[in-house]
Short mmCIF file of all heavy atoms in Angstrom, two decimals:
data_model
loop_
_atom_site.label_atom_id
_atom_site.label_comp_id
_atom_site.label_asym_id
_atom_site.label_seq_id
_atom_site.Cartn_x
_atom_site.Cartn_y
_atom_site.Cartn_z
N ASP B 234 93.04 164.91 84.81
CA ASP B 234 94.39 165.35 85.12
C ASP B 234 94.82 164.82 86.46
O ASP B 234 96.00 164.63 86.72
CB ASP B 234 94.45 166.88 85.12
CG ASP B 234 95.84 167.39 85.45
OD1 ASP B 234 96.79 166.91 84.81
OD2 ASP B 234 95.96 168.24 86.33
N ARG B 235 93.88 164.63 87.32
CA ARG B 235 94.21 164.20 88.68
C ARG B 235 93.46 162.92 89.00
O ARG B 235 92.78 162.81 89.99
CB ARG B 235 93.86 165.30 89.68
CG ARG B 235 94.61 166.60 89.50
CD ARG B 235 96.12 166.39 89.48
NE ARG B 235 96.59 165.54 90.57
CZ ARG B 235 96.89 166.02 91.78
NH1 ARG B 235 96.77 167.29 92.03
NH2 ARG B 235 97.32 165.21 92.71
N LEU B 236 93.61 161.94 88.12
CA LEU B 236 92.96 160.67 88.41
C LEU B 236 93.48 160.09 89.72
O LEU B 236 92.78 159.36 90.40
CB LEU B 236 93.20 159.69 87.26
CG LEU B 236 92.13 159.69 86.16
CD1 LEU B 236 92.51 158.70 85.07
CD2 LEU B 236 90.76 159.36 86.71
N ASP B 237 94.74 160.42 90.05
CA ASP B 237 95.26 159.90 91.30
C ASP B 237 94.48 160.46 92.49
O ASP B 237 94.29 159.79 93.49
CB ASP B 237 96.76 160.20 91.45
CG ASP B 237 97.08 161.68 91.33
OD1 ASP B 237 96.35 162.38 90.62
OD2 ASP B 237 98.07 162.12 91.95
N VAL B 238 94.00 161.72 92.32
CA VAL B 238 93.19 162.31 93.39
C VAL B 238 91.85 161.59 93.49
O VAL B 238 91.37 161.27 94.58
CB VAL B 238 92.97 163.82 93.13
CG1 VAL B 238 91.99 164.40 94.13
CG2 VAL B 238 94.29 164.55 93.19
N LEU B 239 91.27 161.33 92.33
CA LEU B 239 90.01 160.59 92.33
C LEU B 239 90.20 159.24 93.00
O LEU B 239 89.38 158.80 93.81
CB LEU B 239 89.51 160.40 90.89
CG LEU B 239 88.30 159.47 90.77
CD1 LEU B 239 87.04 160.16 91.29
CD2 LEU B 239 88.08 159.01 89.35
N LEU B 240 91.32 158.59 92.68
CA LEU B 240 91.56 157.27 93.25
C LEU B 240 91.75 157.35 94.77
O LEU B 240 91.31 156.48 95.51
CB LEU B 240 92.78 156.62 92.59
CG LEU B 240 92.61 156.37 91.08
CD1 LEU B 240 93.92 155.92 90.46
CD2 LEU B 240 91.53 155.33 90.84
N ALA B 241 92.39 158.43 95.20
CA ALA B 241 92.55 158.61 96.65
C ALA B 241 91.18 158.82 97.29
O ALA B 241 90.90 158.29 98.38
CB ALA B 241 93.46 159.80 96.93
N ASP B 242 90.33 159.60 96.61
CA ASP B 242 88.97 159.81 97.13
C ASP B 242 88.21 158.49 97.21
O ASP B 242 87.48 158.23 98.17
CB ASP B 242 88.21 160.78 96.21
CG ASP B 242 88.65 162.22 96.41
OD1 ASP B 242 89.26 162.50 97.46
OD2 ASP B 242 88.39 163.04 95.53
N ILE B 243 88.40 157.69 96.19
CA ILE B 243 87.71 156.40 96.18
C ILE B 243 88.16 155.57 97.38
O ILE B 243 87.35 154.95 98.07
CB ILE B 243 87.99 155.65 94.86
CG1 ILE B 243 87.30 156.38 93.70
CG2 ILE B 243 87.50 154.21 94.95
CD1 ILE B 243 87.64 155.81 92.34
N GLY B 244 89.45 155.59 97.63
CA GLY B 244 89.96 154.82 98.76
C GLY B 244 89.41 155.32 100.08
O GLY B 244 89.21 154.54 101.02
N ALA B 245 89.15 156.62 100.15
CA ALA B 245 88.75 157.21 101.43
C ALA B 245 87.24 157.21 101.64
O ALA B 245 86.78 157.15 102.77
CB ALA B 245 89.28 158.64 101.52
N HIS B 246 86.48 157.30 100.58
CA HIS B 246 85.05 157.54 100.74
C HIS B 246 84.16 156.48 100.09
O HIS B 246 82.94 156.66 100.03
CB HIS B 246 84.69 158.92 100.16
CG HIS B 246 85.50 160.04 100.73
ND1 HIS B 246 85.36 160.49 102.02
CD2 HIS B 246 86.50 160.78 100.19
CE1 HIS B 246 86.21 161.48 102.24
NE2 HIS B 246 86.92 161.67 101.15
N TYR B 247 84.75 155.44 99.58
CA TYR B 247 83.94 154.44 98.89
C TYR B 247 84.28 153.04 99.42
O TYR B 247 85.39 152.81 99.89
CB TYR B 247 84.24 154.46 97.38
CG TYR B 247 83.69 155.69 96.67
CD1 TYR B 247 84.30 156.93 96.80
CD2 TYR B 247 82.57 155.60 95.86
CE1 TYR B 247 83.81 158.06 96.16
CE2 TYR B 247 82.06 156.72 95.21
CZ TYR B 247 82.69 157.94 95.36
OH TYR B 247 82.20 159.05 94.72
N GLN B 248 83.29 152.18 99.31
CA GLN B 248 83.56 150.78 99.56
C GLN B 248 83.97 150.18 98.22
O GLN B 248 83.29 150.38 97.21
CB GLN B 248 82.31 150.08 100.07
CG GLN B 248 81.98 150.48 101.51
CD GLN B 248 80.88 149.61 102.09
OE1 GLN B 248 80.19 148.91 101.36
NE2 GLN B 248 80.72 149.67 103.40
N ILE B 249 85.06 149.47 98.22
CA ILE B 249 85.55 148.96 96.94
C ILE B 249 85.69 147.45 96.98
O ILE B 249 86.01 146.85 98.01
CB ILE B 249 86.90 149.60 96.55
CG1 ILE B 249 87.96 149.33 97.60
CG2 ILE B 249 86.74 151.09 96.33
CD1 ILE B 249 89.35 149.79 97.16
N VAL B 250 85.42 146.86 95.84
CA VAL B 250 85.59 145.41 95.69
C VAL B 250 86.15 145.14 94.30
O VAL B 250 86.00 145.97 93.39
CB VAL B 250 84.25 144.64 95.84
CG1 VAL B 250 83.74 144.76 97.26
CG2 VAL B 250 83.23 145.16 94.85
N ARG B 251 86.79 144.00 94.17
CA ARG B 251 87.18 143.58 92.83
C ARG B 251 85.93 143.14 92.09
O ARG B 251 85.07 142.46 92.64
CB ARG B 251 88.14 142.38 92.91
CG ARG B 251 89.53 142.70 93.42
CD ARG B 251 90.43 143.26 92.33
NE ARG B 251 90.67 142.37 91.22
CZ ARG B 251 91.74 141.59 91.10
NH1 ARG B 251 92.66 141.60 92.04
NH2 ARG B 251 91.92 140.81 90.05
N CYS B 252 85.78 143.53 90.86
CA CYS B 252 84.62 143.11 90.09
C CYS B 252 85.07 142.83 88.66
O CYS B 252 84.51 143.37 87.71
CB CYS B 252 83.52 144.17 90.14
SG CYS B 252 84.03 145.82 89.60
N ASP B 253 86.12 142.03 88.54
CA ASP B 253 86.67 141.74 87.22
C ASP B 253 85.61 141.18 86.28
O ASP B 253 84.77 140.39 86.69
CB ASP B 253 87.82 140.72 87.36
CG ASP B 253 88.96 141.28 88.19
OD1 ASP B 253 88.84 142.43 88.65
OD2 ASP B 253 89.95 140.57 88.36
N LYS B 254 85.69 141.64 85.06
CA LYS B 254 84.73 141.16 84.05
C LYS B 254 85.49 140.80 82.79
O LYS B 254 86.33 141.57 82.33
CB LYS B 254 83.73 142.26 83.70
CG LYS B 254 82.60 142.44 84.67
CD LYS B 254 81.62 143.46 84.12
CE LYS B 254 81.02 144.28 85.24
NZ LYS B 254 80.50 145.56 84.77
N GLY B 255 85.15 139.66 82.26
CA GLY B 255 85.74 139.27 80.97
C GLY B 255 87.26 139.33 80.97
O GLY B 255 87.86 139.69 79.96
N GLY B 256 87.86 139.00 82.07
CA GLY B 256 89.31 138.99 82.13
C GLY B 256 89.93 140.34 82.41
O GLY B 256 91.14 140.45 82.59
N ALA B 257 89.10 141.39 82.44
CA ALA B 257 89.65 142.73 82.72
C ALA B 257 89.69 142.96 84.22
O ALA B 257 88.79 142.55 84.95
CB ALA B 257 88.78 143.78 82.05
N MET B 258 90.76 143.62 84.66
CA MET B 258 90.88 143.95 86.08
C MET B 258 89.99 145.15 86.37
O MET B 258 90.19 146.22 85.77
CB MET B 258 92.33 144.27 86.41
CG MET B 258 92.54 144.70 87.85
SD MET B 258 94.24 145.23 88.15
CE MET B 258 95.06 143.66 88.28
N GLN B 259 89.05 144.96 87.24
CA GLN B 259 88.12 146.05 87.53
C GLN B 259 87.90 146.21 89.02
O GLN B 259 87.99 145.24 89.79
CB GLN B 259 86.77 145.80 86.84
CG GLN B 259 86.86 145.90 85.32
CD GLN B 259 85.50 146.00 84.68
OE1 GLN B 259 84.53 145.44 85.17
NE2 GLN B 259 85.43 146.72 83.57
N ILE B 260 87.62 147.42 89.40
CA ILE B 260 87.26 147.74 90.78
C ILE B 260 85.92 148.46 90.75
O ILE B 260 85.73 149.39 89.95
CB ILE B 260 88.32 148.64 91.44
CG1 ILE B 260 89.61 147.86 91.66
CG2 ILE B 260 87.81 149.21 92.76
CD1 ILE B 260 90.73 148.71 92.22
N CYS B 261 85.02 148.00 91.59
CA CYS B 261 83.73 148.67 91.70
C CYS B 261 83.69 149.40 93.04
O CYS B 261 83.97 148.80 94.09
CB CYS B 261 82.59 147.67 91.62
SG CYS B 261 82.42 146.94 89.97
N ALA B 262 83.38 150.67 93.00
CA ALA B 262 83.37 151.49 94.20
C ALA B 262 81.96 152.02 94.43
O ALA B 262 81.31 152.50 93.51
CB ALA B 262 84.35 152.65 94.05
N THR B 263 81.52 151.93 95.67
CA THR B 263 80.20 152.43 96.03
C THR B 263 80.34 153.48 97.11
O THR B 263 81.01 153.24 98.12
CB THR B 263 79.31 151.28 96.56
OG1 THR B 263 79.34 150.22 95.60
CG2 THR B 263 77.88 151.76 96.73
N HIS B 264 79.73 154.61 96.87
CA HIS B 264 79.81 155.74 97.79
C HIS B 264 79.28 155.33 99.17
O HIS B 264 78.19 154.78 99.28
CB HIS B 264 78.94 156.86 97.20
CG HIS B 264 79.15 158.20 97.82
ND1 HIS B 264 78.71 158.50 99.07
CD2 HIS B 264 79.77 159.31 97.37
CE1 HIS B 264 79.02 159.76 99.36
NE2 HIS B 264 79.68 160.27 98.33
N ASP B 265 80.06 155.55 100.20
CA ASP B 265 79.55 155.21 101.53
C ASP B 265 79.84 156.31 102.55
O ASP B 265 79.92 156.07 103.74
CB ASP B 265 80.13 153.87 102.01
CG ASP B 265 81.60 153.97 102.36
OD1 ASP B 265 82.23 154.98 101.97
OD2 ASP B 265 82.11 153.06 103.01
N ASP B 266 80.00 157.52 102.06
CA ASP B 266 80.28 158.64 102.95
C ASP B 266 79.34 159.77 102.59
O ASP B 266 79.51 160.45 101.58
CB ASP B 266 81.75 159.07 102.78
CG ASP B 266 82.12 160.22 103.70
OD1 ASP B 266 81.21 160.79 104.32
OD2 ASP B 266 83.32 160.54 103.79
N SER B 267 78.33 159.95 103.43
CA SER B 267 77.29 160.92 103.09
C SER B 267 77.83 162.34 103.08
O SER B 267 77.23 163.24 102.51
CB SER B 267 76.13 160.82 104.07
OG SER B 267 76.58 161.06 105.39
N ASP B 268 78.95 162.56 103.74
CA ASP B 268 79.52 163.91 103.77
C ASP B 268 80.38 164.21 102.55
O ASP B 268 80.88 165.32 102.40
CB ASP B 268 80.37 164.09 105.03
CG ASP B 268 79.52 164.07 106.27
OD1 ASP B 268 78.34 164.47 106.17
OD2 ASP B 268 80.00 163.62 107.32
#
Side-chain angles (χ1 to χ4, degrees):
Chain B
D234 180 50
R235 298 306 312 274
L236 269 179
D237 56 330
V238 173
L239 172 73
L240 297 172
D242 284 342
I243 291 173
H246 305 289
Y247 289 75
Q248 288 189 345
I249 59 172
V250 293
R251 288 278 298 264
C252 56
D253 298 1
K254 280 186 215 158
M258 177 186 282
Q259 291 195 327
I260 290 176
C261 291
T263 308
H264 194 287
D265 71 345
D266 181 350
S267 60
D268 293 330

